[in-house]
Amino acid sequence: MRIEIDREACISVASCVAIAPNTFELDDKGIAVIKNLKGEDEKIILQAAQSCPVNAIIIYDDAGQQIHPPKK
Ligand code: SF4
């Protein structure tokens, strides 16, 4: 699994941090960063990504396919 954060899109809601506090944190600008790629179970990390109101967390599977947000 690979995680990307679109830092331009992040609006500092921090719901990702609330759901996966060992994986995401806010930097000193209040923008999400990855703290530890393996901080939480993949299911929790996916839930955190789904909680982001602006879809700023992009998740890819090991084959490089985008899992979240779902492609239209
Ligand atoms: S939930 Fe989305 S907008 Fe909120 S801090 Fe995390 S990445 Fe940023």
Side-chain angles (χ1 to χ4, degrees), residues 28-49:
D28 54 7
K29 295 189 186 81
I31 303 294
V33 288
I34 295 166
K35 187 176 176 183
N36 177 1
L37 266 177
K38 304 217 177 288
E40 260 99 5
D41 195 75
E42 291 192 0
K43 253 202 262 170
I44 305 282
I45 295 174
L46 188 58
Q47 271 176 28

Side-chain angles (χ1 to χ4, degrees), residues 4-11 31-32 52 54-58:
E4 267 175 24
I5 297 179
D6 180 348
R7 290 174 49 86
E8 304 269 302
C10 173
I11 51 167
I31 303 294
C52 177
V54 291
N55 282 339
I57 301 174
I58 303 130

